[in-house]
Amino acid sequence: MDFLGSTKANGMLTTFLSLSEPIVVRCVSGFLHGVLLLVLFCSWVRGRNNGFGSVTERLKDKRGFGFKSVLFCSLVLSLLNLVLTSLSGFYWYESDWLDEEKLVSLLMFLLPTVSWGVLSVSLHRCSDYEQRKSPLLLRIWLAFNLAVSCYSLVVDKRQVPLLVYDVVSFSGGLLLCYVAFFKKARGGGNNSNGVLEEPLLNGDGRSDEATPYSRAGLLSLLTFSWMGPLIEIGNKKPLDLEDVPQLHDSDSVVGLAPKFRTMLESSSDGGVGGGGGVTTFKLMKALFFSAQWEILVTAFFAFIYTVASYVGPALIDTFVQYLNGRREYNNEGYVLVITFFLAKLVECLSQRHWFFRLQKVGIRMRSSLVAMIYEKGLTLSCHSKQGRTSGEIINFMTVDAERIGNFSWYMHDPWMVLLQVGLALWILYRNLGLASIAALIATILVMLVNFPFGRMQERFQEKLMEAKDNRMKSTSEILRNMRILKLQGWEMKFLSKIFDLRKSEEGWLKKYVYNSAVISFVFWGAPTLVSVSTFGACILLGIPLESGKILSALATFRILQEPIYNLPDTISMVVQTKVSLDRIASYLCLDNLQPDVVETLPQGGSDIAVEVSNSTLSWDVSSESPTLKDISFKVLPGMKVAVCGTVGSGKSSLLSSILGEVPKVSGSLKVCGTKAYVAQSPWIQSGKIEDNILFGKPMERERYEKVLEACSLSKDLEILSFGDQTVIGERGINLSGGQKQRIQIARALYQDADIYLFDDPFSAVDAHTGSHLFKEVLLGLLSSKSVIYVTHQVEFLPAADLILVMKDGRISQAGKYNDILSSGTDFMELIGAHQEALAVVGSVDASSVSEKPALGGQEDAIGLDGKQESQDVKNDKPDTEETKRQLVQEEEREKGSVALDVYWKYITLAYGGALVPFIVLAQVLFQLLQIGSNYWMAWATPLSKDVEAPVNISTLMIVYVALAVGSSLCILVRATLLVTAGYKTATELFHKMHHCIFRSPMSFFDSTPSGRIMNRASTDQSAVDLDIPYQFGSVAITVIQLIGIIGVMSQVSWLVFLVFIPVVAASIWYQRYYIAAARELSRLVGVCKAPLIQHFAETISGSTTIRSFNQESRFRCDNMRLSDGYSRPKFYSAGAMEWLCFRLDMLSSLTFAFSLVFLISIPTGVIDPSLAGLAVTYGLSLNTLQAWLIWTLCNLENKIISVERILQYASVPSEPPLVIESNRPEQSWPSRGEVDIHDLQVRYAPHMPLVLRGITCTFKGGLRTGIVGRTGSGKSTLIQTLFRIVEPSAGEIKIDGVNILNIGLHDLRLRLSIIPQDPTMFEGTVRSNLDPLEEYTDDQIWEALDKCQLGDEVRKKDLKLDSSVSENGENWSMGQRQLVCLGRVLLKRSKILVLDEATASVDTATDNLIQKTLREHFSDCTVITIAHRISSVIDSDMVLLLSNGIIEEYDSPVKLLENKSSSFAKLVAEYTARSSSSFD
């Protein structure tokens, strides 16, 4: 029996059905399906009440893979048989029914149709009845069915449609056998009710049930319907992170990171770190194997997609010939339409799942890399860290890991190009013969042309990343120290430094984007070159050009465009990814901390807490002069060991060596017990105060309260609106220096460790609090613990069991206080300096005060102050809850659609948008010329050999080449203009945002974690630099192409609009329905990234503290939680995109199918077959283009959020003007230096309470004024108001009669000098640190260095004034940094000098030196000093004592001391008593 006749040998379709072969196999198959029907019927009769349970029980677990896959399989097989039955019946009805073989064949198709249909219905209706044993009869039937399908597959070799049918039958049979024989029910045991089927994963309550993706059925997975509920929620309200479901375990970093680490370590000798040999190749290999299954699945989908996409071009010639009247068999047109449509269907499904799974792979890779980079950051040695700044390391996470994740889009392109070119050449060879070789040569030439451009692109990319690293490093440092820059009036100078670094970056960016434009031109012109070469070869070889073959070739070239278009992107992405992999691999190769520096003894395994024997240690092992030399001492449990010495003598390094931070050269260090460490510079995490103190330990209320009391924190917490639930800003920005230090001490105390290491924590607190802390903490709570404390306060030394005196990295003296007093000069120098300081207050007769219990008296004073403070604050608090707001708020994000204003600002930012019309015009011309050239070839070539051509061959080629060259030039113009506009816009946005940030008030930096600013300066700026111009271009190009296609198709059939208009309407509705959820998911991606960056930045800066408390694992978990929080919206955003694209693909495929049906329905000759063929050629890419348009539109809206976020920070309110030209003070101002304060009231934010509450006083010109008071009393706030870092709420400050509120900020700040509380140095040189504005000569700088006792230190260095200073001045000690700050003010020589606890970080001798230098060089200046050491203010002309934001006392020290009941007198008496007491 012949069904639909037969085609010729060279046709695409073969005989559809034939029973000339033995009919036995078909009969056996039909008989088997009849048996299945009988079994189902008997089962129904036997067990009506069980809903066919006995037969289908093994296939019916509705929650699982089994039920849904079997139901789907049964439906497909039933529908396939139904289609074959219908087609057979239709054909035989047309011919005749008398042939018995045909009737038997029809019956053989009818039985499977009915049996599979009945099975589908029974499965769908079956109840939850479950019998544990699978029926033997059903399993036997399935086995026989599989065997018959397999045999049919082998026998029916020659008929393509039967082969397709047999492949589907065999696949279905295989799946059914697998489910019946091997698939286990989820329940297990007797738990068949499904309630407890899902086990808890990882013990955290997360289960498969929690993720829509993991529990979705086959149909839901195929159509992405599992995304429906989330998109629906997004339509009802703006999505929040709580609305976004969890990730499945296979996509969570918790499961991925250990697997990836194991793979990397197994491929790297010696593991990661310690020079463990992580190479780019090994990193790539580990990434591949950690996601190999998903990568292979995506490769399969990519293969299917590629093959399906070439079915259309292969059939176009046949279709044109059909329209021309050549029929191979009856109903050939409908078979062609069905083939076109099915190919489109397969293409759509495979592409959607290929894209979605690629994004999954990308998310997994990024998560794994972020976890590894973080892990490395925790274990990096200090020497390695000096080579990589925190900004650079953050870039590995924000840019490089992100880029490697994005590479997943491109990973299959290299081999797909070969497959696509191969398939294209095969089609061309079938149509044009040997001319296809010309196409191959042209394609290879085009690809070869790209290599030099590719190499240039790689170099530009590397340089661009280096420049970006340098910029981010400086930005990070500047943001950390913005307060100092504003106090000094240097912020605009440092902004110009950022602009200079950006200029260097822009140089490489410019080269990169223009190189991209050339590559774009080469490859957009490539298909034209290939087609010209091919058709030219046809003419030379004498191969006849027919319109059907030409159109088939043109359709092939159009599809070949895709790999050729994508090749520049792929090469660029490969280049970028390789650069990123190289950078991460080199980072992972850096040395870790030496694990064997400290030998940790088991707890209770030794009677010694710390033992150091003949140890030599050095921060830089290659250095000839080690940091610590021949160190030996023992610490027994319960001992108190004090470490003292001059600035830079190695005190902090000694503590670091016990922590294992300093590489060991020789000797041994042994530690027995757990450690707790308090750093010299407080490290505070952003978050609640309570969390900072608990630091991962469970809350024990009694111990917690004890710790708060011992650290004098209870009263501070009473003042705060939220108590210990107050959220601390980044680096504790909304706390005073003393509060930060006490929180650090509380954190250490709460850990209840065996050994405590204190690195001079008492210097940042006032005298009252210092002695209270020493007594309550060291001598109280820690009385039974081993404590090693560094201190500059000599008064704390007598209480020590052992004192180590450091000098030049050695222990010069060791012993008890009285023993070493007489045994050497070093200790005597320190004591002498202390006695000198005391001599200043020695004239005071404090005997009456010191007879009382000094510390008890102090406690009473604090108690009184605290009560008063608390009462005042309560009175000051407004009643409304509105004012109770945390300083650091959640990051703001826009809600709803991105405002059109954002698009308009972006488009018009470069040259007022003048280039945009030209870009659009160039693309329109390109599209018209392309369509014109293709139309010309279709019209000017004959339909077949026996038809004469309308024009001669030479005219044909000349016109075609002219049109091709014109279209290529249009591309060059468009590409150049697009990158020019994009580059200019990126530059403008960068300058706007940074200028605005640097001019914003300090309150902005206090309440904005630097992670948020860094995120905009790195990730968002990268998007603006490299992505968004192309996204805009892509939207414009696709719209113009789509209009072109619809134009061509409507030329053939205006009826296309009947379908196209409702399809477009449905597409727009879907897009609007989708975008609400997708937009918020994209915003959540941006918002969830900042906490990840911030946590990473905090970890890097506090890694020593984290390691000392053994908290690495907790911080790793936090990082993983934040990483998953960032991946979740990304994952569901990808799912939402594919949900939309799948539906749009279906709609456009229907439009295409309708057009084809219309074309085959009209009589021959009504439409020119060439023109119809051209319409089909263009229509083949309709679904791709329509989906691509919506995809690019959505992608643009997602990416434009980067512009929205940058514009957010480009509109932050600015500080008052830097200079007010109409009100500039005289050049000599201030000449006297008199500061007059009247009714000054200050609050940090409108919703916060007053900090200074009506201060009125005058600091006389030329006098020294000391400001004292308890921590948090408003001392630093007063200074900040003097510099207008904080603007007063009421009142005024006049300097020499000039109201400082009426002049420019720089006019004020550059005329005042300050030595700040936190000594700051910037990366650069000694010269740039002392004189960043480049106002002074080298001689002046040397003079200042000599005055501050740093001259000799700098002269020792090879580069003298050009000696390098590392990030944060890490290669200088804290005391040396403070002396550099002194050098700055000596250079500046202002009339008013402010010392904000300036000597907190130096020993008493250096403090005396600073005071002496100041007295000598600033004798005629107004000096305002905030100090914790009484000796620093006792010789002042006036003393101002603040308490809770009001003036408690203001007079000369002598008068205040005469009144024994004055608070200042009590303070001095207490200090004297403490200094002469040993706290024993």
Side-chain angles (χ1 to χ4, degrees):
M1 171 206 81
D2 288 338
F3 176 71
L4 301 179
S6 61
T7 63
K8 293 186 178 176
N10 67 345
M12 281 302 291
L13 296 175
T14 59
T15 305
F16 189 81
L17 280 174
S18 172
L19 284 172
S20 56
E21 297 275 339
I23 202 170
V24 178
V25 176
R26 299 279 161 223
C27 288
V28 170
S29 176
F31 171 72
L32 274 174
H33 286 91
V35 169
L36 176 62
L37 263 178
L38 189 65
V39 169
L40 288 169
F41 177 72
C42 295
S43 174
W44 176 72
V45 171
R46 266 184 55 219
R48 285 195 306 273
N49 299 330
N50 294 336
F52 301 100
S54 59
V55 173
T56 59
E57 56 79 21
R58 198 54 192 248
L59 310 175
K60 74 105 216 63
D61 179 4
K62 292 193 179 183
R63 293 167 301 281
F65 164 81
F67 170 75
K68 286 169 182 168
S69 52
V70 172
L71 178 57
F72 178 74
C73 193
S74 305
L75 275 170
V76 167
L77 287 168
S78 179
L79 289 171
L80 183 63
N81 280 284
L82 182 63
V83 168
L84 294 178
T85 308
S86 307
L87 286 172
S88 302
F90 175 74
Y91 170 69
W92 293 323
Y93 175 75
E94 290 287 313
S95 51
D96 72 77
W97 284 87
L98 299 175
D99 193 331
E100 290 177 9
E101 280 194 354
K102 291 176 181 175
L103 287 170
V104 171
S105 180
L106 189 64
L107 184 65
M108 294 310 106
F109 281 125
L110 197 59
L111 275 170
T113 305
V114 176
S115 58
W116 286 118
V118 170
L119 183 61
S120 302
V121 172
S122 69
L123 282 167
H124 185 67
R125 289 169 58 92
C126 73
S127 68
D128 273 348
Y129 170 81
E130 183 160 5
Q131 181 183 323
R132 294 313 303 165
K133 192 163 167 53
S134 193
L136 181 64
L137 190 61
L138 180 63
R139 284 188 284 172
I140 291 169
W141 185 87
L142 287 170
F144 267 111
N145 181 57
L146 181 65
V148 171
S149 302
C150 185
Y151 184 70
S152 300
L153 189 63
V154 175
V155 168
D156 290 329
K157 286 178 185 171
R158 290 181 300 150
Q159 295 110 24
V160 173
L162 279 180
L163 187 64
V164 171
Y165 170 72
D166 289 333
V167 166
V168 174
S169 297
F170 175 71
S171 305
L174 197 63
L175 177 68
L176 290 168
C177 280
Y178 167 70
V179 174
F181 286 89
F182 304 110
K183 184 79 176 154
K184 290 192 166 47
R186 287 193 182 195
N190 296 318
N191 180 27
S192 58
N193 62 4
V195 176
L196 301 173
E197 283 190 347
E198 295 293 345
L200 291 178
L201 298 172
N202 301 336
D204 60 357
R206 285 180 56 200
S207 73
D208 283 354
E209 290 293 334
T211 70
Y213 177 67
S214 62
R215 67 165 183 254
L218 191 65
L219 203 60
S220 178
L221 285 173
L222 274 176
T223 60
F224 295 94
S225 302
W226 55 272
M227 273 303 304
L230 185 62
I231 293 172
E232 193 179 343
I233 294 169
N235 261 282
K236 290 175 182 168
K237 71 178 191 76
L239 287 176
D240 291 310
L241 195 58
E242 303 80 59
D243 301 317
V244 181
Q246 292 294 333
L247 291 173
H248 186 247
D249 278 7
S250 60
D251 299 309
S252 167
V253 70
V254 178
L256 293 170
K259 183 180 173 187
F260 177 66
R261 185 180 176 80
T262 306
M263 300 236 174
L264 193 58
E265 285 181 339
S266 63
S267 64
S268 308
D269 309 323
V272 181
V278 177
T279 61
T280 305
F281 174 72
K282 287 170 181 173
L283 189 59
M284 209 161 59
K285 187 175 153 191
L287 282 169
F288 172 78
F289 282 112
S290 63
Q292 58 181 347
W293 171 244
E294 285 289 342
I295 292 170
L296 293 172
V297 169
T298 54
F300 172 72
F301 281 129
F303 177 79
I304 295 292
Y305 164 76
T306 306
V307 172
S309 65
Y310 277 93
V311 171
L315 291 178
I316 278 183
D317 189 22
T318 311
F319 192 75
V320 170
Q321 297 305 330
Y322 173 83
L323 294 178
N324 197 30
R326 190 195 302 169
R327 304 283 194 274
E328 301 289 345
Y329 46 83
N330 293 342
N331 298 315
E332 182 185 0
Y334 289 106
V335 173
L336 280 168
V337 170
I338 289 167
T339 311
F340 272 119
F341 182 67
L342 286 174
K344 277 283 158 208
L345 212 59
V346 171
E347 186 186 328
C348 151
L349 274 169
S350 53
Q351 189 182 33
R352 298 282 57 92
H353 287 276
W354 165 31
F355 280 7
F356 175 66
R357 285 173 179 272
L358 276 183
Q359 289 176 85
K360 259 179 75 177
V361 169
I363 288 168
R364 288 182 178 191
M365 286 181 170
R366 186 201 58 76
S367 298
S368 302
L369 283 171
V370 166
M372 280 306 296
I373 293 164
Y374 184 85
E375 169 83 24
K376 188 73 184 178
L378 272 177
T379 58
L380 212 56
S381 71
C382 290
H383 187 252
S384 300
K385 207 184 277 186
Q386 277 182 0
R388 305 274 181 169
T389 61
S390 56
E392 258 183 290
I393 297 172
I394 288 166
N395 252 1
F396 293 138
M397 182 182 273
T398 54
V399 178
D400 295 301
E402 198 72 46
R403 182 171 293 129
I404 292 164
N406 291 340
F407 175 70
S408 62
W409 281 102
Y410 301 86
M411 65 169 60
H412 296 308
D413 285 10
W415 66 262
M416 276 178 66
V417 166
L418 298 175
L419 176 64
Q420 286 168 315
V421 169
L423 284 168
L425 289 172
W426 173 68
I427 292 169
L428 289 172
Y429 182 73
R430 285 180 66 253
N431 286 320
L432 303 174
L434 289 173
S436 58
I437 294 169
L440 175 64
I441 292 167
T443 305
I444 290 169
L445 273 174
V446 167
M447 291 177 176
L448 286 175
V449 165
N450 194 56
F451 278 108
F453 291 118
R455 273 201 294 273
M456 281 158 67
Q457 200 79 328
E458 179 171 10
R459 195 166 67 85
F460 296 154
Q461 172 70 19
E462 277 181 9
K463 297 290 184 186
L464 183 63
M465 288 309 297
E466 276 176 32
K468 188 186 179 77
D469 280 348
N470 290 334
R471 173 172 66 81
M472 289 309 297
K473 188 164 69 177
S474 286
T475 306
S476 170
E477 186 175 46
I478 288 167
L479 290 175
R480 263 200 309 274
N481 300 305
M482 186 56 81
R483 187 178 299 276
I484 307 298
L485 296 182
K486 287 195 175 289
L487 285 167
Q488 302 279 11
W490 291 346
E491 71 269 38
M492 299 319 285
K493 175 68 182 176
F494 277 78
L495 175 62
S496 67
K497 182 184 172 186
I498 293 288
F499 283 163
D500 289 343
L501 288 167
R502 172 67 181 176
K503 206 166 191 177
S504 157
E505 187 184 347
E506 280 168 5
W508 294 112
L509 177 65
K510 199 171 191 174
K511 288 176 181 170
Y512 182 86
V513 295
Y514 280 108
N515 195 49
S516 299
V518 174
I519 292 173
S520 182
F521 162 66
V522 169
F523 282 98
W524 274 81
T528 310
L529 174 69
V530 173
S531 56
V532 168
S533 310
T534 309
F535 298 148
C538 285
I539 291 164
L540 291 173
L541 295 169
I543 297 167
L545 290 172
E546 297 169 17
S547 59
K549 290 177 178 178
I550 290 282
L551 289 168
S552 181
L554 287 173
T556 307
F557 295 145
R558 280 178 75 79
I559 291 186
L560 197 57
Q561 267 182 325
E562 188 190 337
I564 293 179
Y565 283 177
N566 289 343
L567 200 61
D569 281 350
T570 305
I571 289 169
S572 168
M573 198 63 191
V574 167
V575 165
Q576 291 180 36
T577 306
K578 184 183 179 302
V579 170
S580 291
L581 282 166
D582 289 344
R583 283 156 51 83
I584 291 175
S586 69
Y587 167 68
L588 294 176
C589 278
L590 293 176
D591 290 338
N592 285 345
L593 283 171
Q594 288 180 10
D596 57 347
V597 172
V598 176
E599 184 187 339
T600 308
L601 303 172
Q603 222 158 347
S606 170
D607 56 353
I608 294 171
V610 179
E611 183 176 10
V612 183
S613 309
N614 301 320
S615 290
T616 299
L617 305 106
S618 180
W619 287 111
D620 182 3
V621 182
S622 58
S623 170
E624 288 181 15
S625 54
T627 313
L628 298 171
K629 300 177 275 285
D630 306 323
I631 304 291
S632 296
F633 65 92
K634 280 183 188 176
V635 180
L636 300 172
M639 263 179 81
K640 306 290 176 283
V641 179
V643 182
C644 58
T646 54
V647 168
S649 58
K651 303 182 295 299
S652 296
S653 297
L654 181 67
L655 291 193
S656 296
S657 66
I658 296 167
L659 291 171
E661 299 286 321
V662 189
K664 184 170 65 178
V665 178
S666 62
S668 72
L669 288 89
K670 293 177 184 172
V671 173
C672 179
T674 55
K675 302 183 292 288
Y677 170 64
V678 178
Q680 189 171 11
S681 304
W683 177 74
I684 302 290
Q685 264 190 293
S686 48
K688 293 176 189 167
I689 292 175
E690 181 190 277
D691 295 339
N692 266 282
I693 295 171
L694 298 181
F695 208 56
K697 292 269 183 181
M699 167 63 86
E700 289 178 32
R701 184 55 64 182
E702 194 181 333
R703 175 150 57 117
Y704 182 73
E705 296 296 344
K706 249 190 220 172
V707 166
L708 290 183
E709 201 54 54
C711 297
S712 303
L713 279 169
S714 303
K715 292 175 183 64
D716 294 273
L717 296 180
E718 279 173 26
I719 297 166
L720 297 168
S721 305
F722 293 87
D724 63 0
Q725 298 305 302
T726 300
V727 174
I728 303 174
E730 193 177 16
R731 302 186 312 281
I733 208 142
N734 47 337
L735 299 174
S736 72
Q739 286 169 329
K740 284 190 273 190
Q741 198 60 277
R742 285 181 287 131
I743 286 173
Q744 268 216 125
I745 295 169
R747 175 172 63 207
L749 286 180
Y750 193 79
Q751 296 297 306
D752 195 24
D754 302 316
I755 301 159
Y756 282 81
L757 306 172
F758 289 106
D759 194 353
D760 196 18
F762 308 115
S763 60
V765 295
D766 55 75
H768 279 314
T769 314
S771 49
H772 174 77
L773 284 174
F774 192 81
K775 184 187 176 196
E776 294 297 321
V777 175
L778 264 78
L779 306 180
L781 288 179
L782 301 181
S783 56
S784 61
K785 309 282 187 181
S786 306
V787 183
I788 303 174
Y789 60 98
V790 170
T791 185
H792 288 129
Q793 280 109 314
V794 174
E795 57 269 26
F796 293 142
L797 295 177
D801 302 309
L802 173 67
I803 299 171
L804 304 176
V805 183
M806 300 293 296
K807 188 175 183 183
D808 300 329
R810 297 176 186 274
I811 297 177
S812 61
Q813 288 175 268
K816 275 191 169 276
Y817 184 83
N818 293 325
D819 299 341
I820 60 172
L821 261 178
S822 53
S823 65
T825 56
D826 298 328
F827 190 59
M828 277 308 294
E829 279 174 25
L830 292 171
I831 297 298
H834 179 60
Q835 299 299 342
E836 196 180 310
L838 277 178
V840 181
V841 291
S843 57
V844 181
D845 180 17
S847 56
S848 58
V849 180
S850 56
E851 282 168 16
K852 300 176 192 173
L855 290 166
Q858 174 254 341
E859 279 174 334
D860 293 341
I862 287 179
L864 278 166
D865 289 352
K867 280 176 199 160
Q868 179 63 41
E869 207 172 62
S870 170
Q871 190 59 44
D872 290 341
V873 172
K874 278 178 190 156
N875 294 343
D876 187 57
K877 277 185 194 169
D879 296 327
T880 54
E881 276 298 308
E882 181 60 33
T883 57
K884 280 191 76 172
R885 229 168 74 202
Q886 297 277 18
L887 173 69
V888 181
Q889 301 292 314
E890 285 291 311
E891 182 170 2
E892 71 292 346
R893 65 180 172 106
E894 305 288 337
K895 302 244 170 149
S897 61
V898 176
L900 285 174
D901 189 41
V902 175
Y903 293 94
W904 183 248
K905 276 181 183 167
Y906 181 84
I907 289 169
T908 56
L909 207 54
Y911 311 108
L915 296 182
V916 176
F918 293 104
I919 293 168
V920 173
L921 181 64
Q923 181 59 32
V924 168
L925 282 174
F926 166 75
Q927 192 63 33
L928 290 173
L929 290 170
Q930 278 280 77
I931 291 170
S933 64
N934 291 343
Y935 181 76
W936 168 257
M937 289 304 284
W939 175 81
T941 50
L943 280 167
S944 57
K945 295 173 195 171
D946 47 359
V947 178
E948 192 180 337
V951 296
N952 62 36
I953 292 293
S954 58
T955 310
L956 174 80
M957 285 312 292
I958 288 166
V959 172
Y960 185 66
V961 169
L963 290 168
V965 169
S967 67
S968 296
L969 287 173
C970 287
I971 283 302
L972 182 61
V973 171
R974 188 210 74 203
T976 309
L977 291 178
L978 184 65
V979 298
T980 304
Y983 168 77
K984 177 71 176 168
T985 307
T987 308
E988 290 288 321
L989 278 172
F990 180 89
H991 281 78
K992 269 190 167 185
M993 179 178 80
H994 279 74
H995 189 270
C996 199
I997 287 172
F998 275 65
R999 285 287 294 112
S1000 57
M1002 202 58 224
S1003 57
F1004 170 75
F1005 298 96
D1006 289 349
S1007 59
T1008 308
S1010 63
R1012 291 182 195 170
I1013 302 172
M1014 297 278 284
N1015 200 4
R1016 282 162 174 82
S1018 63
T1019 313
D1020 292 325
Q1021 188 62 45
S1022 269
V1024 171
D1025 286 345
L1026 299 169
D1027 294 340
I1028 295 176
Y1030 300 108
Q1031 294 295 338
F1032 266 100
S1034 194
V1035 168
I1037 291 164
T1038 314
V1039 167
I1040 292 162
Q1041 281 186 306
L1042 202 56
I1043 292 167
I1045 287 178
I1046 295 303
V1048 171
M1049 288 176 76
S1050 61
Q1051 282 295 305
V1052 178
S1053 160
W1054 60 268
L1055 285 168
V1056 167
F1057 284 106
L1058 291 179
V1059 176
F1060 185 71
I1061 289 167
V1063 162
V1064 166
S1067 298
I1068 290 169
W1069 181 86
Y1070 266 126
Q1071 196 261 348
R1072 297 325 306 163
Y1073 182 69
Y1074 148 87
I1075 198 68
R1079 190 191 305 116
E1080 296 311 318
L1081 284 168
S1082 186
R1083 284 188 176 128
L1084 282 172
V1085 169
V1087 170
C1088 292
K1089 190 168 190 175
L1092 183 63
I1093 297 170
Q1094 192 185 332
H1095 181 256
F1096 189 33
E1098 284 183 345
T1099 302
I1100 291 166
S1101 61
S1103 54
T1104 304
T1105 303
I1106 294 165
R1107 286 193 291 265
S1108 67
F1109 286 98
N1110 293 323
Q1111 291 281 326
E1112 295 99 321
S1113 60
R1114 181 170 70 86
F1115 274 77
R1116 276 188 212 107
C1117 288
D1118 284 348
N1119 175 63
M1120 287 178 179
R1121 178 176 52 76
L1122 291 167
S1123 184
D1124 273 350
Y1126 173 52
S1127 297
R1128 269 161 59 201
K1130 266 182 107 71
F1131 177 86
Y1132 288 99
S1133 185
M1137 177 67 81
E1138 299 311 325
W1139 176 92
L1140 174 70
C1141 287
F1142 173 79
R1143 280 145 184 78
L1144 298 181
D1145 277 357
M1146 290 292 105
L1147 289 170
S1148 50
S1149 297
L1150 286 171
T1151 310
F1152 180 55
F1154 174 81
S1155 308
L1156 293 178
V1157 169
F1158 174 78
L1159 287 173
I1160 64 168
S1161 303
I1162 54 176
T1164 307
V1166 173
I1167 287 179
D1168 179 0
S1170 301
L1171 194 56
L1174 185 66
V1176 175
T1177 305
Y1178 274 90
L1180 280 171
S1181 55
L1182 178 67
N1183 72 314
T1184 313
L1185 263 181
Q1186 194 178 328
W1188 180 248
L1189 173 61
I1190 300 296
W1191 196 90
T1192 49
L1193 273 171
C1194 297
N1195 216 21
L1196 175 62
E1197 184 156 7
N1198 292 345
K1199 290 280 183 192
I1200 203 80
I1201 288 167
S1202 288
V1203 177
E1204 182 184 60
R1205 284 157 58 80
I1206 287 173
L1207 288 172
Q1208 244 176 21
Y1209 279 15
S1211 55
V1212 176
S1214 289
E1215 283 184 303
L1218 298 177
V1219 174
I1220 299 172
E1221 290 296 343
S1222 60
N1223 200 8
R1224 297 203 68 170
E1226 294 172 17
Q1227 196 61 40
S1228 59
W1229 179 86
S1231 53
R1232 300 192 314 280
E1234 181 168 303
V1235 181
D1236 187 24
I1237 301 170
H1238 178 68
D1239 191 29
L1240 186 67
Q1241 297 179 24
V1242 178
R1243 51 161 52 97
Y1244 279 100
H1247 61 273
M1248 296 181 85
L1250 285 170
V1251 182
L1252 296 181
R1253 302 182 298 151
I1255 287 181
T1256 302
C1257 63
T1258 301
F1259 302 152
K1260 294 287 185 194
L1263 297 185
R1264 296 164 58 80
T1265 304
I1267 304 176
V1268 290
R1270 191 176 179 276
T1271 300
S1273 59
K1275 304 186 296 292
S1276 290
T1277 304
L1278 179 59
I1279 299 307
Q1280 288 188 65
T1281 313
L1282 181 63
F1283 282 81
R1284 286 179 68 193
I1285 295 294
V1286 183
E1287 292 289 318
S1289 306
E1292 61 179 16
I1293 300 176
K1294 287 183 177 177
I1295 298 178
D1296 285 359
V1298 175
N1299 188 339
I1300 65 168
L1301 298 177
N1302 297 335
I1303 61 172
L1305 293 179
H1306 273 188
D1307 279 338
L1308 170 68
R1309 291 170 186 169
L1310 289 169
R1311 310 288 178 94
L1312 308 178
S1313 286
I1314 184 167
I1315 302 181
Q1317 185 174 358
D1318 299 318
T1320 305
M1321 289 178 78
F1322 299 92
E1323 188 175 19
T1325 62
V1326 175
R1327 181 189 283 105
S1328 69
N1329 266 281
L1330 282 164
D1331 179 26
L1333 303 183
E1334 296 164 8
E1335 295 174 327
Y1336 305 100
T1337 64
D1338 280 8
D1339 290 341
Q1340 288 172 306
I1341 294 172
W1342 278 117
E1343 187 186 341
L1345 282 170
D1346 287 331
K1347 285 175 184 172
C1348 66
Q1349 307 296 309
L1350 274 177
D1352 294 339
E1353 185 69 35
V1354 176
R1355 284 188 185 90
K1356 282 183 200 168
K1357 297 182 183 289
D1358 296 337
L1359 297 173
K1360 306 290 190 287
L1361 289 178
D1362 292 316
S1363 301
S1364 69
V1365 176
S1366 65
E1367 190 181 18
N1368 296 331
E1370 295 288 351
N1371 55 344
W1372 294 67
S1373 79
M1374 193 73 109
Q1376 287 169 327
R1377 280 180 248 169
Q1378 196 66 281
L1379 292 174
V1380 169
C1381 295
L1382 173 63
R1384 286 176 190 152
V1385 300
L1386 287 166
L1387 266 178
K1388 204 170 176 184
R1389 291 302 306 274
S1390 302
K1391 198 69 183 170
I1392 296 175
L1393 169 64
V1394 176
L1395 306 176
D1396 187 0
E1397 298 171 354
T1399 55
S1401 308
V1402 295
D1403 56 84
T1404 314
T1406 312
D1407 185 11
N1408 290 347
L1409 165 78
I1410 291 173
Q1411 298 301 334
K1412 184 180 167 193
T1413 309
L1414 294 175
R1415 275 194 291 272
E1416 191 178 321
H1417 297 285
F1418 290 89
S1419 54
D1420 58 341
C1421 300
T1422 305
V1423 180
I1424 302 167
T1425 308
I1426 295 176
H1428 292 145
R1429 288 179 179 157
I1430 297 301
S1431 55
S1432 303
V1433 292
I1434 197 75
D1435 63 341
S1436 301
D1437 300 303
M1438 299 289 285
V1439 170
L1440 175 72
L1441 197 143
L1442 284 175
S1443 172
N1444 190 33
I1446 52 174
I1447 296 175
E1448 190 173 317
E1449 295 169 0
Y1450 182 44
D1451 213 329
S1452 68
V1454 176
K1455 284 186 180 173
L1456 288 173
L1457 288 170
E1458 282 172 1
N1459 178 4
K1460 293 288 188 279
S1461 62
S1462 74
S1463 296
F1464 184 67
K1466 288 180 184 174
L1467 191 68
V1468 172
E1470 193 277 318
Y1471 174 78
T1472 315
R1474 183 183 77 173
S1475 301
S1476 53
S1477 156
S1478 65
F1479 287 92
D1480 288 339

